[in-house]
Amino acid sequence: MGLFIGAVTGPDADGMPAFSEPMAAVGETDVQTAPAPEQPIETILASITPSAGNPDPVLEKKRSLKVRNGDTLMSIMLSAGIAHEDAHDAVSALRAVYDPRDLRVGQRVHLTFAPDDNLKEMQLDPSVVRKVAVRRDEATSFRAFETKRNLTLKISFARGTINSSLYKSAARQNVPLSVLAELVRIYSWDVDFQREIQKGDAFEVAYERFLDDDGHVVRHGQVIYARMILSGAAKPLYRFELRPGKTDYFDDTGRSAKRPLLRTPIDGARLSSRFGKRRHPILGYTKMHRGVDFAAPTGTPIYAAGDGVITFRGRNSGYGKYIRIRHAGGFNSAYAHMSRFRKGVTQGSRVKQGQVIGYVGSTGRSTGPHLHYEILARGRQVNPLTIKMPSGIKLGRKDFARFEVKRANIATLVANLQKKNTITQR
Ligand SMILES: [Zn+2]
């Protein structure tokens, strides 16, 4: 997957030139589930606080904290070192415009501190169209502000045949980079984009766009539908909201796109040695290679292949700096020759799939910077590239009934968009 992720990741992934596919309004898509926009806080403050003046960027300190499981607004503020009384007053004031119980995991809390380290401002984005904040006010301690943006949600559709790379054909269809990255992420459990894509393969994608009153694209939202056609086999996926705030992608049969372990826990790497018998580059004799090697520059991030618990983190003789993770289903994954571990990743810590655990290096018995990656099934190394993995969850009867309705709606929408697309292209 890394081949073009590396190429597309930039500071301004959404800053694409305007593009011209037809669009159609969609009525039922829940704007609230869109991820919070990554806007500089200065922009938000300028629009939110009528008397913001010219905040001094040198003297003011800003922190942005992500809401985790079990957090409350109060606990987050206390963990940021805010005095109990200030935190309490700020939360009380905020209640005028926002119910703190609506805080969701993954949301961000933006804090601004005055030069004396006291809280000056707290700001949240409950949705892409709504921002709420409290700002210190001499007289009443904290005062609440709310701003609403009038954004229209549209759905765009793009389709393309891959001639050289998915990146190129998606760019030709004006698919924004952030949407392309999302597309790759959705399929990353199933498709190795660096090795499996062939000439003649094709993609379809339908995704959200948010437009302001002037019709300008403010930001792109989530992919709602995608279909990869690989060597003639179609793999459609539909976005589905399992419960409020929790969306996932499912195929026609209601099976989640997720798999327990990533086959390639690194971006932009070249497969440099396969699993199996080979002549050892250092020892000289034929030896079983019980993992796969990915050559990548020193410092390239390495991801946890799946949710799990770190059971080993440290030096492990020839493996050099080494991490092992225990996953569900009797699987373990191991990562060797790291240059260093990610701060905070220690033995016993819980990790999520895709979380960075360390960085590529050449420690231990190694001829150059690479990741040696192993998957162990019931204690024995297996080939990470070919092992059959159990699929993710399958929707239960009730959820599946709901999913079927949603899927039919998406299919109709996509069919209409496709028709318009064909007409425009003539
Ligand atoms: Zn190796």
Side-chain angles (χ1 to χ4, degrees):
M1 68 189 263
L3 188 64
F4 54 85
I5 277 289
V8 304
T9 305
D12 193 17
D14 254 338
M16 289 284 289
F19 40 94
S20 57
E21 317 89 40
M23 43 191 170
V26 63
E28 43 138 16
T29 311
D30 186 4
V31 176
Q32 296 289 332
T33 63
E38 300 292 329
Q39 270 202 56
I41 191 160
E42 289 81 359
T43 319
I44 292 159
L45 291 184
S47 66
I48 245 174
T49 50
S51 57
N54 292 314
D56 189 329
V58 180
L59 296 176
E60 277 186 351
K61 279 176 236 154
K62 293 170 194 294
R63 281 186 73 183
S64 170
L65 299 171
K66 209 172 193 171
V67 179
R68 293 175 197 283
N69 233 335
D71 278 346
T72 62
L73 197 48
M74 196 68 190
S75 73
I76 289 172
M77 295 178 76
L78 294 178
S79 76
I82 294 165
H84 194 278
E85 203 185 330
D86 269 3
H88 182 267
D89 288 352
V91 173
S92 295
L94 187 70
R95 284 205 173 90
V97 293
Y98 179 78
D99 185 344
R101 285 173 304 183
D102 291 342
L103 202 66
R104 285 193 321 264
V105 171
Q107 214 177 323
R108 283 194 171 271
V109 178
H110 305 284
L111 302 169
T112 308
F113 296 89
D116 62 2
D117 285 339
N118 281 320
L119 178 67
K120 191 174 167 190
E121 191 155 66
M122 168 180 62
Q123 187 255 314
L124 301 170
D125 313 321
S127 78
V128 68
V129 293
R130 188 166 164 246
K131 297 178 196 310
V132 294
V134 290
R135 187 175 166 83
R136 190 178 286 277
D137 179 306
E138 293 303 327
T140 59
S141 186
F142 287 95
R143 211 173 121 203
F145 297 90
E146 180 177 23
T147 51
K148 280 188 181 158
R149 257 176 124 166
N150 192 19
L151 293 183
T152 310
L153 173 62
K154 304 268 188 188
I155 303 294
S156 280
F157 175 80
R159 174 172 49 176
T161 304
I162 300 163
N163 289 320
S164 53
S165 75
L166 174 61
Y167 170 68
K168 278 189 183 157
S169 67
R172 206 163 34 237
Q173 301 302 322
N174 298 314
V175 174
L177 299 176
S178 62
V179 171
L180 179 60
E182 182 72 358
L183 181 70
V184 169
R185 193 190 62 76
I186 294 167
Y187 281 95
S188 63
W189 284 275
D190 195 26
V191 178
D192 184 336
F193 281 92
Q194 220 174 326
R195 283 167 277 276
E196 280 182 37
I197 298 287
Q198 292 175 11
K199 197 175 158 132
D201 287 348
F203 74 93
E204 291 175 4
V205 62
Y207 55 94
E208 300 169 328
R209 295 195 299 169
F210 294 95
L211 308 183
D212 65 15
D213 288 341
D214 300 325
H216 296 125
V217 178
V218 175
R219 58 180 293 269
H220 298 103
Q222 291 187 313
V223 169
I224 64 159
Y225 159 84
R227 189 162 168 259
M228 294 294 308
I229 298 141
L230 304 172
S231 305
K235 294 171 184 279
L237 290 175
Y238 305 84
R239 186 184 68 177
F240 178 61
E241 190 167 34
L242 278 165
R243 53 178 193 274
K246 167 98 178 124
T247 56
D248 208 340
Y249 293 85
F250 294 87
D251 68 11
D252 286 310
T253 67
R255 202 174 279 277
S256 164
K258 282 187 179 154
R259 299 292 180 271
L261 296 178
L262 299 174
R263 295 187 193 278
T264 310
I266 184 169
D267 280 342
R270 177 175 61 81
L271 181 67
S272 55
S273 180
R274 291 178 182 274
F275 188 90
K277 276 200 173 139
R278 65 157 182 187
R279 198 167 184 81
H280 194 279
I282 290 178
L283 303 177
Y285 51 84
T286 306
K287 200 171 176 280
M288 184 70 183
H289 186 226
R290 299 189 188 280
V292 287
D293 291 346
F294 297 101
T298 298
T300 303
I302 298 167
Y303 307 125
D307 294 5
V309 176
I310 308 264
T311 55
F312 188 97
R313 194 217 76 162
R315 288 215 172 246
N316 186 4
S317 64
Y319 282 123
K321 288 193 177 174
Y322 171 93
I323 280 181
R324 187 185 275 212
I325 304 175
R326 189 182 64 235
H327 307 283
F331 288 102
N332 281 266
S333 59
Y335 315 77
H337 310 307
M338 290 184 184
S339 55
R340 60 191 175 92
F341 305 114
R342 174 89 184 262
K343 217 173 124 191
V345 171
T346 55
Q347 195 158 321
S349 48
R350 211 157 255 294
V351 290
K352 285 272 172 206
Q353 186 166 58
Q355 186 183 326
V356 175
I357 52 170
Y359 303 89
V360 168
S362 190
T363 54
R365 204 152 55 217
S366 165
T367 50
H370 75 286
L371 167 67
H372 169 90
Y373 174 50
E374 290 183 4
I375 291 182
L376 297 96
R378 316 219 175 276
R380 292 189 56 178
Q381 287 98 339
V382 293
N383 187 342
L385 299 182
T386 57
I387 180 168
K388 287 246 181 290
M389 289 206 228
S391 67
I393 64 156
K394 189 154 189 200
L395 292 172
R397 184 191 288 265
K398 256 184 156 172
D399 280 336
F400 187 67
R402 226 159 38 86
F403 170 72
E404 281 292 87
V405 175
K406 181 79 186 171
R407 186 172 74 91
N409 288 344
I410 292 176
T412 308
L413 176 70
V414 166
N416 287 334
L417 289 168
Q418 241 166 336
K419 227 182 285 170
K420 283 192 197 175
N421 209 7
T422 313
I423 293 163
T424 318
Q425 278 177 359
R426 268 183 201 147

